Amino acid sequence: MSPSVPLQEMIRAIRSARTQCEERGVIQRECAAIRAQFRQSDNGGRSHNLAKLLYVHMLGYPAHFGQMECVRMIASPRYSEKRVGYLGAMMLLDEKQDASLLITNSIKNDLSHSNQYVQSLALCTLACMGSAEMCRDLAPEIDRLLRASNSYIKKKAALCAVHIVRKVHDLGEMFAPAARSLLSEKNHGVLHGAVVLITEDTHIHTHILIFEIMKGLVISGYSPEHDVAGISDPFLQVRILRLLRILGHNNEAASDAMNDLLAQVATNTDSTKTVGNAVLYETVLTVLDIKSESGLRVLAVNILGRFLLNNDRNIRYIAMISLQKIVGTDHNAVQRHRGTIVDCLKDQDASVKRRALDLSLALVSASNIRSMMKELLIFLSSCPLELRSQAASGIFIAAERYAPSQRWHIDTILHVLTTAGGDVRDETVPNLIQLITNASELHCYTVHKLYRALLTDISQQSLVQVACWCIGEYGDLLLRGECQETEPVQVHEDDVLDALETVLQSHMSSPATRGFALTATMKLSTRITDNVDRIRSIVSIYGSCIDVELQQRAVEYNALFKKYDHMRYICFEYAGHCVLFRFRLSALLLCLFFPQVCDLLDLLGGSEETLQPSPAAGGTAPGLPANTASTAGGDLLDLLGGLEPFKLK
Amino acid sequence: MIKAILIFNNHGKPRLIRFYQYFAEDMQQQIIRETFHLVSKRDDNVCNFLEGGSLIGGSDYKLIYRHYATLYFVFCVDSSESELGILDLIQVFVETLDKCFENVCELDLIFHMDKVHYILQEVVMGGMVLETNMNEITTQVDVQNRMEKSEGGLSAAPARAVSAVKNMNLPEIPRNINIGDINIKVPSLSPF
């Protein structure tokens, strides 16, 4: 058995290993030696072994066999062993393990030890990993220590009490009187602990004393040791401000009392350094969160505005976080800074961009929608990948709420689909289809635009799906060639069928997209005259496709061609309005073939479809006089066997 | 509350890890890897706050980090801590290390990992900020280190001798010998 090697030598040995395998070998040997040493009863180098084990644990190797050793070392009378034992307990044990119960007694004894450093070790461990039972057992001890004479112990006991209150909320009452008396301490560490305890423990409210401390700090309290770059103890100031925020939060009286003090802090704090900014920032947050007077609120928002223009990115980042918190309540005040926020969208830093995006989306309103949307679309084309889907959905929501015109709305959605089509959510496609259907005067414009988009790029699935649907539905408008809103371009039937076939055959198309394309091809068979045979051949090819959905569909369409040719027009008049058509259309066809299957109607029961032919389609269906549509409609209803006609809205 | 404090170098090797919330060992290593991955991508002139770590806890948590030469100091905090305050705390912690180790460098952190933990225990306790005054922290740490050394017993004698010689400051001693008092007391020797 090798003699126990002190920590540094082991570290040197591990570092000199050149490969991962060598390192693992060294560590395994060391762990074996350590395990053997643990089994021996008394050993001079016990603390070394545990320290080595903790190092190995940090590197990621298993160290659970050291748990009992920690328990033993904590019980040892020697300070060096206790120290390492407690450290080991904090790193290796947690309240879920049984070994942690064993140290409760040791902690209890150490809390009353004569040496304050041993007491502090026990307090530290209890605060890190004390379970609820341990906390309940030891709470009276902690309360006693809170009244003890030593400020070093008092501040640790205060934080330990915070942990206890977090674990067992009811024990907060026990600490209330001690905490109040701690507030009159001079030691800043103790004050800090006391403020944290009062913040955590809602049973105590002593705002008057807090003001005394606060005033002292700002006006005259210049204590050199706590000075960080000229501001007296900024950490304590920040804590106190946070506590003030909680006290004033729905409390008129407390907020009134705080107004002067907050104004004083806001004006007196030097904002040229980071620490000053930390205090100012906390003051601003407090002002905005309590029921402060309006002058003070304006001051606070102005400070935030100044932060936004600061060169330091950190300051800009936190300014945007706080503006986000108040954009709901003080919307106009934040709007004034819209320009700066929109500029932050172009910042290089991803964190700043994220905040700017959230804030910009919150600032969109009916009056600024056009300019904001321009900026947001520019942002979308260059934004980092992780923000894309958030940006896209934000843009959709904003567009839906404030769109000045339907054409603008459709344009915006198309733009988003072309730029970031892969990152939009699935319900975008049916929503867009619904939108297009409702904007009846724009069908011609929409189908032209989509056709052109389809020709450029077929990789964005959502865009391709919508484009196929539109071409299928309004193909006749496309082929007619003229359109008021875009330049006329002559589109031949062959071109359209080529485009759809490319989509069908491309390896980039998902099965859903292929389904859309196939249905569109089929629908075109009722809108075009010359190439019906071509359509028939395309559809029959897919009759033997591997994808079951496509195959089923192709077979049904083939059947329509062969046996039910007269029904073809009706199906593709009505089916055009199915939003979730993929599954509904098949159900519809099954209804045609098997009218007794009435429970299938339940499948169609929840839909939003209408069975009224759209004006465009009805008016221009080639070769189909209007009255045939209505008589054929009558046939359809007969086939359904006198049941309630569904969804004739 | 501070959820975790991680120090690792530019290649992702951990130099100090301290979790104030329980995570299983493999989870801890995964968190270190993920944090390193997020932090190392950052440029030097962007802001010191990062969001988006999914492992360590969800939307309430931020990573606040500072890059010093070869080391990243990362504090993972939730929304109850002031971001700028934590940034200052990291500065205070590093300056304290500098004071305790005399021009601290990465090697000091590697070889004295346990001492760094003890220093950290004086700054942050149970995930909460305990003390921010550098002098106070260094004083307490010194006292505790002395206590540990004095317990060393025989096995620590060589080490104590070495440190005593180091502390001796030989050029100063001749000046301190005081021969003003000629009455030298002869100590009474006990018979053997």
Side-chain angles (χ1 to χ4, degrees):
Chain A
M1 182 180 4
S2 56
S4 88
V5 174
L7 177 61
Q8 277 85 20
E9 292 190 27
M10 182 190 83
I11 297 177
R12 224 169 270 134
I14 293 176
R15 278 167 63 80
S16 61
R18 269 159 301 175
T19 63
Q20 185 76 2
C21 189
E22 250 185 85
E23 181 183 296
R24 262 200 300 267
V26 171
I27 290 180
Q28 266 170 2
R29 275 196 299 275
E30 287 294 335
C31 283
I34 293 172
R35 260 193 295 251
Q37 303 259 336
F38 282 170
R39 268 180 255 130
Q40 285 186 339
S41 49
D42 196 16
N43 197 320
R46 270 174 32 176
S47 51
H48 294 298
N49 288 325
L50 195 53
K52 280 191 267 178
L53 190 61
L54 290 176
Y55 184 81
V56 162
H57 170 78
M58 179 179 79
L59 291 180
Y61 295 90
H64 44 82
F65 55 87
Q67 287 172 3
M68 284 315 293
E69 186 68 12
C70 291
V71 176
R72 252 178 270 136
M73 299 211 22
I74 289 174
S76 144
R78 300 178 59 182
Y79 180 69
S80 52
E81 293 185 357
K82 266 199 209 286
R83 215 181 187 193
V84 180
Y86 275 119
L87 183 62
M90 283 189 271
M91 308 228 5
L92 299 176
L93 290 176
D94 109 289
E95 59 186 46
K96 294 189 196 69
Q97 273 142 15
D98 302 325
S100 63
L101 289 173
L102 297 171
I103 63 176
T104 312
N105 208 27
S106 302
I107 294 183
K108 193 168 193 167
N109 292 336
D110 284 336
L111 281 177
S112 356
H113 202 276
S114 49
N115 186 337
Q116 63 169 358
Y117 296 104
V118 174
Q119 286 180 315
S120 82
L121 283 176
L123 284 168
C124 193
T125 311
L126 185 59
C128 281
M129 37 110 22
S131 65
E133 294 83 41
M134 283 167 75
C135 291
R136 252 187 272 266
D137 277 338
L138 298 168
E141 285 291 314
I142 307 294
D143 193 41
R144 190 181 55 82
L145 287 171
L146 274 177
R147 301 167 208 270
S149 55
N150 189 331
S151 58
Y152 178 67
I153 293 297
K154 270 191 200 166
K155 72 182 181 198
K156 294 207 173 186
L159 287 187
C160 200
V162 174
H163 176 86
I164 292 178
V165 170
R166 275 195 194 137
K167 283 279 175 188
V168 185
H169 196 69
D170 310 320
L171 288 173
E173 283 197 49
M174 191 193 289
F175 298 120
R180 238 180 239 121
S181 63
L182 281 179
L183 280 178
S184 33
E185 289 272 334
K186 294 275 182 286
N187 184 314
H188 279 207
V190 181
L191 275 177
H192 189 275
V195 173
V196 177
L197 179 56
I198 295 175
T199 313
E200 189 70 31
D201 188 352
T202 50
H203 297 265
I204 317 172
H205 283 288
T206 48
H207 36 270
I208 318 241
L209 258 176
I210 304 267
F211 294 150
E212 309 291 321
I213 304 167
M214 195 73 212
K215 266 201 169 105
L217 272 176
V218 176
I219 301 168
S220 59
Y222 175 67
S223 101
E225 324 78 75
H226 283 100
D227 177 16
V228 182
I231 314 258
S232 55
D233 206 349
F235 297 98
L236 186 57
Q237 285 194 37
V238 163
R239 281 276 162 217
I240 293 180
L241 284 165
R242 206 170 271 253
L243 177 57
L244 287 176
R245 194 182 334 159
I246 295 175
L247 290 176
H249 184 61
N250 264 320
N251 188 334
E252 286 279 353
S255 310
D256 280 335
M258 284 181 219
N259 276 324
D260 288 332
L261 183 62
L262 291 172
Q264 215 165 25
V265 178
T267 35
N268 285 351
T269 313
D270 178 15
S271 66
T272 50
K273 309 218 173 68
T274 319
V275 282
N277 283 327
V279 177
L280 264 181
Y281 173 57
E282 207 63 35
T283 317
V284 164
L285 285 181
T286 307
V287 166
L288 294 172
D289 210 25
I290 63 174
K291 296 192 182 315
S292 51
E293 58 185 18
S294 58
L296 202 50
R297 286 187 99 86
V298 169
L299 177 63
V301 179
N302 286 345
I303 294 178
L304 284 181
R306 250 187 10 238
F307 277 177
L308 268 183
L309 298 166
N310 196 312
N311 282 331
D312 187 351
R313 279 202 178 88
N314 291 334
I315 309 285
R316 266 187 278 165
Y317 176 86
I318 57 161
M320 283 197 277
I321 292 186
S322 9
L323 285 173
Q324 183 87 33
K325 291 194 188 130
I326 58 167
V327 78
T329 46
D330 295 79
H331 193 88
N332 295 331
V334 185
Q335 282 280 5
R336 246 178 277 139
H337 302 285
R338 189 163 49 90
T340 328
I341 293 170
V342 168
D343 281 334
C344 286
L345 278 174
K346 305 186 190 98
D347 197 301
Q348 289 171 328
D349 181 350
S351 302
V352 171
K353 271 196 198 160
R354 187 189 285 258
R355 289 283 134 226
L357 175 66
D358 282 341
L359 207 45
S360 308
L361 288 173
L363 284 178
V364 171
S365 72
S367 47
N368 58 28
I369 178 76
R370 281 188 197 265
S371 49
M372 285 296 275
M373 197 50 81
K374 227 183 292 177
E375 295 290 340
L376 286 169
L377 289 173
I378 296 174
F379 172 71
L380 188 63
S381 47
S382 60
C383 79
L385 289 171
E386 59 268 12
L387 291 178
R388 264 185 159 190
S389 70
Q390 194 186 343
S393 42
I395 290 176
F396 282 150
I397 295 175
E400 210 174 294
R401 229 183 267 169
Y402 301 112
S405 72
Q406 279 185 321
R407 178 175 161 174
W408 181 93
H409 194 176
I410 290 181
D411 275 340
T412 312
I413 298 190
L414 287 179
H415 192 137
V416 174
L417 285 179
T418 8
T419 349
D423 298 300
V424 299
R425 285 202 294 258
D426 294 329
E427 60 262 18
T428 317
V429 170
N431 285 342
L432 182 54
I433 291 179
Q434 187 76 33
L435 185 66
I436 295 176
T437 319
N438 291 338
S440 42
E441 60 284 358
L442 290 170
H443 287 161
C444 189
Y445 168 73
T446 317
V447 72
H448 271 102
K449 263 204 112 164
L450 280 169
Y451 177 67
R452 243 166 279 174
L454 189 64
L455 288 178
T456 9
D457 176 21
I458 59 168
S459 61
Q460 306 276 33
Q461 298 300 302
S462 326
L463 183 65
V464 172
Q465 286 173 5
V466 178
C468 288
W469 183 88
C470 264
I471 293 175
E473 190 61 22
Y474 309 119
D476 43 312
L477 292 174
L478 183 62
L479 294 166
R480 235 193 324 174
E482 35 170 275
C483 180
Q484 304 114 312
E485 316 220 5
T486 60
E487 334 81 70
V489 70
Q490 194 52 26
V491 180
H492 296 289
E493 295 174 1
D494 278 319
D495 300 329
V496 177
L497 287 174
D498 280 340
L500 286 174
E501 242 187 313
T502 323
V503 172
L504 273 172
Q505 289 163 355
S506 160
H507 62 280
M508 289 189 279
S509 305
S510 70
T513 313
R514 288 213 180 94
F516 270 91
L518 192 60
T519 311
T521 318
M522 196 58 196
K523 282 192 214 169
L524 280 179
S525 72
T526 59
R527 271 92 162 146
I528 65 181
T529 44
D530 301 331
N531 287 338
V532 182
D533 288 326
R534 185 175 168 187
I535 294 182
R536 200 184 268 184
S537 63
I538 295 175
V539 169
S540 61
I541 290 174
Y542 280 88
S544 45
C545 171
I546 286 182
D547 186 282
V548 177
E549 172 76 30
L550 277 179
Q551 193 189 72
Q552 175 190 7
R553 206 182 287 252
V555 165
E556 285 168 357
Y557 294 161
N558 258 331
L560 272 178
F561 266 120
K562 293 190 195 121
K563 294 194 266 182
Y564 297 93
D565 211 30
H566 59 287
M567 298 291 256
R568 199 158 41 94
Y569 288 103
I570 304 128
C571 288
F572 294 104
E573 292 298 319
Y574 290 119
H577 304 283
C578 293
V579 176
L580 290 174
F581 65 90
R582 153 193 341 189
F583 152 86
R584 307 268 161 108
L585 179 56
S586 304
L588 174 59
L589 286 171
L590 281 170
C591 273
L592 288 176
F593 301 144
F594 306 106
Q596 312 89 321
V597 185
C598 48
D599 48 340
L600 277 174
L601 287 180
D602 292 340
L603 292 170
L604 298 162
S607 76
E608 308 283 314
E609 317 147 30
T610 76
L611 283 182
Q612 284 154 346
S614 74
T620 59
L624 184 70
N627 54 355
T628 321
S630 46
T631 49
D635 284 343
L636 178 64
L637 291 178
D638 282 341
L639 274 178
L640 294 169
L643 291 155
E644 274 291 309
F646 48 98
K647 307 308 147 307
L648 274 178
K649 285 199 186 102
Chain B
M1 186 177 151
I2 301 175
K3 289 291 170 182
I5 296 179
L6 308 170
I7 304 179
F8 41 76
N9 72 354
N10 289 344
H11 302 291
K13 294 219 84 155
R15 295 303 175 209
L16 182 118
I17 61 171
R18 190 65 201 262
F19 285 90
Y20 292 101
Q21 190 185 18
Y22 177 67
F23 290 100
E25 265 86 21
D26 49 339
M27 194 62 177
Q28 289 184 1
Q29 293 296 318
Q30 223 177 327
I31 289 172
I32 297 172
R33 275 195 296 271
E34 187 199 46
T35 310
F36 170 65
H37 185 66
L38 285 171
V39 160
S40 57
K41 274 196 298 197
R42 307 271 289 172
D43 215 4
D44 269 337
N45 56 356
V46 300
C47 75
N48 298 95
F49 310 116
L50 252 184
E51 292 169 69
S54 53
L55 281 182
I56 197 159
S59 55
D60 198 22
Y61 297 93
K62 280 200 204 41
L63 294 171
I64 301 178
Y65 73 96
R66 275 203 119 124
H67 190 187
Y68 293 92
T70 58
L71 289 172
Y72 283 101
F73 285 71
V74 183
F75 279 44
C76 179
V77 304
D78 67 4
S79 55
S80 71
E81 295 286 339
S82 157
E83 292 93 354
L84 291 179
I86 294 291
L87 216 49
D88 291 331
L89 186 68
I90 299 181
Q91 183 71 21
V92 166
F93 178 48
V94 172
E95 279 176 28
T96 313
L97 285 177
D98 198 34
K99 239 181 164 179
C100 290
F101 282 106
E102 249 129 283
N103 289 325
V104 68
C105 64
E106 190 181 340
L107 284 177
D108 288 319
L109 294 186
I110 297 173
F111 284 99
H112 299 282
M113 181 199 95
D114 48 345
K115 299 219 173 17
V116 180
H117 267 289
Y118 299 142
I119 297 173
L120 185 59
Q121 255 168 241
E122 294 297 323
V123 182
V124 176
M125 185 171 113
M128 294 167 277
V129 176
L130 176 63
E131 178 64 63
T132 52
N133 179 351
M134 259 193 324
N135 290 330
E136 175 73 19
I137 300 171
T138 37
T139 322
Q140 301 296 347
V141 169
D142 278 338
V143 171
Q144 293 183 51
N145 285 342
R146 260 182 281 133
M147 260 183 63
E148 190 168 334
K149 270 199 204 118
S150 71
E151 254 187 11
L154 272 178
S155 59
R160 293 224 314 266
V162 169
S163 57
V165 168
K166 271 200 197 145
N167 291 336
M168 218 154 67
N169 198 1
L170 279 165
E172 283 288 320
I173 288 182
R175 274 179 242 144
N176 290 342
I177 298 176
N178 187 0
I179 316 200
D181 185 7
I182 306 179
N183 288 339
I184 301 172
K185 243 189 154 182
V186 178
S188 55
L189 298 170
S190 57
F192 284 101

